[in-house]
Amino acid sequence: MGYRNTTECLNALEARGELVRIDKAVDARIEIGAIQRRVFQAGGPALLFNNVRGCRFPMAANIYGTRERMHFIFRDTVKMVERLMKLKLSPMEALKRPWKYFGAPKTAFHTMPKKVSDGPVMKNETKISRLPQLVSWPMDGGGYVTLPQVYTEDPFNPGVSGSNMGMYRVQLSGNDYVVDEEVGLHYQIHRGIGHHHARAIKKGEPLKVNVFVGGPPAMTMAAVMPLPEGLAELFFAGAMAGHRIPMVQRESGLPIPAQADFCICGTLSAHEKPEGPFGDHLGYYSLAHDFPVLKVDHVYHRDDAIWPFTTVGRPPQEDTMFGEFIHELTADLVPSVFSGVHEVHAVDAAGVHPLLLAVGSERYVPYAKDRQPQELLTNAMGLLGNTQTSLSKYVFIAAKEDMGAASCHDIPGFFKHMLERADLTRDLHFITRTTIDTLDYSGISLNQGSKLIFAAAGSVKRELGTSVPTGLKLPRGFRDARVFAPGILVVKGNKHRMKRDQQDAALERLGVTLETVKGLEKFPMIVVADDARFTARDWDNFLWVTFTRSDPATDMYGVGAFSNAKHWGAKTSVIIDARLKTYHAPPLEPDPEVEKQVDALGAKGGPLHGII
């Protein structure tokens, strides 16, 4: 059976030697987050901080910090959940191999929450100011909940079946929030809570919201699971937990998980206040913007409450493990959700939403002498029109018929495949002035920017270069050209000085100058960056810089660029301006003094010696 609360889970990890208790006094501001990130990067254990300055509650981190630990926590249920997902894909599978699904009815029973009249979480009440005030990065606007389970129900269809539970960040302190009475609730576009909030506004009443922290690990997993709209995350939590989730049903208000460590109960109106800044998973700060205010009514906690947390930043981080685990659970479902799509890869190193790699079918004209993207474009539009893939900014999609045994999870191989086959005069398709990820500051305004479908099909069209073309001379303002990968050049450019929604004439001149360079046809992709050496150091750097710092429509130029009947293309190479822009949010930088404190914990005699 799955773990029923945080303490059970941590005790099991400790018995396996995968938890370290830290009794030394630590600060929830900056220090504790820096420790968590360093231990995660080292592949280290879960952490339990028993002595948090100014706070009575212990804090736990890195619980989900390795793939092996994730599988251990959900070892009793993950296989059956995977089988049930495959059963959705192929209903006949149960008839062919019934022995594999003997536990399915029991798992289905566990999806239904169990109503109870009381539970450990209801034993005590406290105030927001007495909760752990985690501040992960130096410029963060206040204390945050970083592993919240934010629960709402449809105002017109109350009950679990119409509920949503998501992981939306919650700001506990700072800015203009009234102490102990208000907290900030930042939810991005295309999130289930948004539908509930809109319906509450339509009904003319505030939206009831409960924020759970801790409890069964399956609840945390369910909150990040990208389930189809209309399928309650609470049902999935029961399946992953291996037991019915006991929910305290009060006379008024939303249900509360009996085994949660904490629960913040409140209401959400249309009233907004500035929320942020906050160091986020793209590797930059998301700046202060107006978001809804949650009016706090109650804060409950159990006797032995522990505050689970994580910190987010430039990938990979602990939330990377959630993404990998979700992919394992859902990979076989991709063709059933996206017709014609065989495989997708939301690239973590690029911040997830900025770059999506995909493999689709190209069957529209099977008798053609050479394939060209046709069905692939339909596939890509499907990806941009459904679920979380709709937030993707760059979609690179290749034809399965050309791929053989290759996979879009082999990033170097996939880029090589794409760049060898793409027709740059034909295969670039832009969608301009559309919605993009709230956390992506590369667009023309908050939530607004462009998208690019980059499709490739058919035979190899070019040999890719592996050395800088002889005689390459860059115009003034550009230097340090270096080959990053076959067919990809990285060039250093001067500091960006343009305003939002403006293209840079210097990049256009670069494209014109390069038209006469012999051998450049072997480099269909050129990236201009602030630091060519850093960008070309490895794939993680290249992906992060290139795709988090560029908006396709604003920041793409070309060698031999042209526009015809509103279609843009390039005869030789595309140029991506991946410099930090004047309007971008600042990248996350650690505090050097705090890093020295963390070093001391890893020194001989310290609690993290041999770990970091």
Side-chain angles (χ1 to χ4, degrees):
M1 297 291 287
Y3 300 113
R4 296 180 181 273
N5 53 55
T6 303
T7 299
E8 278 188 9
C9 179
L10 295 181
N11 287 342
L13 293 178
E14 187 170 35
R16 277 173 59 90
E18 291 202 49
L19 180 134
V20 169
R21 294 175 181 265
I22 298 179
D23 296 319
K24 180 184 180 297
V26 296
D27 201 320
R29 178 176 175 81
I30 313 298
E31 182 183 14
I32 202 168
I35 295 169
Q36 184 271 326
R37 292 191 295 274
R38 290 278 290 277
V39 172
F40 169 79
Q41 296 295 339
L47 304 169
L48 181 60
F49 299 92
N50 291 316
N51 188 1
V52 181
R53 290 191 185 98
C55 182
R56 56 168 291 205
F57 299 109
M59 299 175 69
N62 212 37
I63 298 171
Y64 310 98
T66 68
R67 181 179 295 185
E68 293 73 22
R69 198 143 62 237
M70 290 280 281
H71 278 276
F72 172 75
I73 291 170
F74 300 111
R75 65 192 180 281
D76 294 334
T77 57
V78 65
K79 292 300 181 185
M80 182 52 67
V81 171
E82 286 179 348
R83 289 169 188 164
L84 287 177
M85 289 188 172
K86 291 178 181 177
L87 189 60
K88 179 184 181 299
L89 182 63
S90 178
M92 292 299 294
E93 182 71 13
L95 296 178
K96 295 177 181 177
R97 299 174 179 83
W99 59 89
K100 294 178 67 175
Y101 299 91
F102 284 150
K106 188 176 181 180
T107 300
F109 175 71
H110 291 157
T111 63
M112 299 304 299
K114 181 181 180 181
K115 291 184 179 180
V116 296
S117 60
D118 201 1
V121 70
M122 308 301 295
K123 296 297 183 185
N124 309 280
E125 282 204 55
T126 189
K127 296 181 178 181
I128 292 293
S129 58
R130 295 174 181 170
L131 298 175
Q133 303 290 314
L134 172 72
V135 178
S136 302
W137 296 96
M139 288 174 54
D140 280 2
Y144 279 88
V145 189
T146 54
L147 285 178
Q149 308 146 34
V150 181
Y151 181 88
T152 57
E153 293 180 357
D154 186 336
F156 288 95
N157 182 31
V160 172
S161 62
S163 69
N164 175 78
M165 187 170 69
M167 193 166 284
Y168 317 120
R169 76 181 188 229
V170 178
Q171 184 172 353
L172 299 176
S173 60
N175 296 356
D176 296 326
Y177 299 120
V178 178
V179 176
D180 292 328
E181 296 181 16
E182 296 176 338
V183 300
L185 182 54
H186 174 126
Y187 65 81
Q188 300 160 47
I189 60 174
H190 203 290
R191 298 298 193 266
I193 189 176
H195 303 306
H196 288 176
H197 197 188
R199 287 170 69 80
I201 292 171
K202 180 179 180 180
K203 198 174 181 181
E205 62 184 31
L207 179 69
K208 295 177 181 178
V209 179
N210 280 354
V211 180
F212 318 136
V213 181
M219 291 286 283
T220 300
M221 188 69 229
V224 299
M225 192 72 184
L227 298 175
E229 188 176 341
L231 179 58
E233 287 81 7
L234 201 53
F235 295 157
F236 179 82
M240 286 300 295
H243 62 265
R244 297 176 68 189
I245 302 294
M247 301 292 289
V248 179
Q249 188 67 59
R250 301 172 295 164
E251 289 185 6
S252 62
L254 301 175
I256 300 173
Q259 293 288 340
D261 288 81
F262 299 86
C263 179
I264 301 169
C265 304
T267 54
L268 198 68
S269 67
H271 180 53
E272 299 176 349
K273 285 188 176 183
E275 183 270 354
F278 181 74
D280 226 311
H281 70 264
L282 266 69
Y284 309 87
Y285 286 96
S286 56
L287 303 179
H289 298 283
D290 287 348
F291 278 95
V293 175
L294 181 69
K295 183 181 179 299
V296 178
D297 297 322
H298 299 279
V299 182
Y300 299 105
H301 71 87
R302 57 190 299 147
D303 286 337
D304 56 348
I306 296 172
W307 186 270
F309 76 94
T310 189
T311 59
V312 291
R314 181 189 161 184
Q317 299 290 346
E318 187 176 5
D319 55 356
T320 300
M321 297 299 104
F322 286 115
E324 291 183 359
F325 192 73
I326 289 168
H327 172 74
E328 290 180 36
L329 289 175
T330 61
D332 289 337
L333 287 179
V334 168
S336 70
V337 177
F338 305 106
S339 179
V341 178
H342 301 273
E343 186 181 28
V344 295
H345 180 191
V347 180
D348 183 71
V352 181
H353 292 317
L355 178 61
L356 181 72
L357 310 182
V359 177
S361 293
E362 187 49 73
R363 303 163 296 188
Y364 279 3
V365 189
Y367 47 82
K369 292 182 179 179
D370 193 25
R371 274 182 291 278
Q372 69 180 57
Q374 295 178 87
E375 185 178 2
L376 288 183
L377 302 182
T378 302
N379 296 339
M381 291 295 185
L383 289 166
L384 289 175
N386 287 281
T387 70
Q388 294 302 306
T389 61
S390 66
L391 292 175
S392 303
K393 182 169 61 174
Y394 287 88
V395 178
F396 282 56
I397 186 166
K400 180 176 177 58
E401 291 78 7
D402 304 322
M403 291 286 290
S407 166
C408 61
H409 287 270
D410 171 15
I411 294 176
F414 188 78
F415 267 79
K416 181 175 182 293
H417 176 96
M418 293 287 299
L419 296 177
E420 285 177 335
R421 290 167 173 78
D423 181 340
L424 302 180
T425 67
R426 180 193 65 199
D427 295 340
L428 305 174
H429 303 272
F430 294 84
I431 303 171
T432 61
R433 300 186 180 272
T434 187
T435 52
I436 62 172
D437 185 6
T438 303
L439 304 179
D440 191 330
Y441 282 84
S442 67
I444 59 176
S445 66
L446 184 68
N447 292 330
Q448 188 178 27
S450 66
K451 300 177 185 291
L452 172 68
I453 297 171
F454 190 132
S459 58
V460 171
K461 297 174 178 61
R462 66 179 62 81
E463 176 188 355
L464 300 181
T466 56
S467 60
V468 176
T470 304
L472 174 65
K473 292 183 179 180
L474 298 171
R476 183 179 179 182
F478 301 93
R479 57 196 179 278
D480 195 18
R482 55 184 65 212
V483 175
F484 165 65
I488 302 176
L489 277 179
V490 177
V491 175
K492 178 179 175 61
N494 282 347
K495 187 176 181 179
H496 182 269
R497 300 188 184 280
M498 308 301 293
K499 295 180 181 180
R500 280 188 182 275
D501 204 15
Q502 291 183 347
Q503 289 202 290
D504 192 336
L507 272 292
E508 293 175 345
R509 288 195 296 272
L510 174 64
V512 172
T513 301
L514 295 179
E515 286 184 20
T516 59
V517 175
K518 187 176 181 180
L520 197 72
E521 67 278 2
K522 294 184 178 181
F523 291 92
M525 181 177 287
I526 301 169
V527 173
V528 177
D530 296 298
D531 186 337
R533 180 185 295 273
F534 173 84
T535 305
R537 182 180 300 162
D538 54 39
W539 275 97
D540 281 354
N541 284 3
F542 174 79
L543 295 167
W544 182 59
V545 170
T546 302
F547 298 104
T548 65
R549 299 183 181 182
S550 64
D551 172 77
T554 305
D555 298 322
M556 189 167 282
Y557 304 82
V559 180
F562 68 92
S563 180
N564 180 50
K566 300 182 178 63
H567 175 80
W568 186 91
K571 296 176 182 178
T572 306
S573 312
V574 295
I575 302 172
I576 300 175
D577 182 0
R579 297 173 295 171
L580 274 172
K581 309 303 188 295
T582 56
Y583 45 85
H584 281 183
L588 300 177
E589 298 289 348
D591 184 318
E593 293 303 314
V594 172
E595 293 300 317
K596 291 178 183 178
Q597 297 172 23
V598 179
D599 289 339
L601 295 176
K604 190 172 183 179
L608 298 178
H609 178 61
I611 296 174
I612 61 173

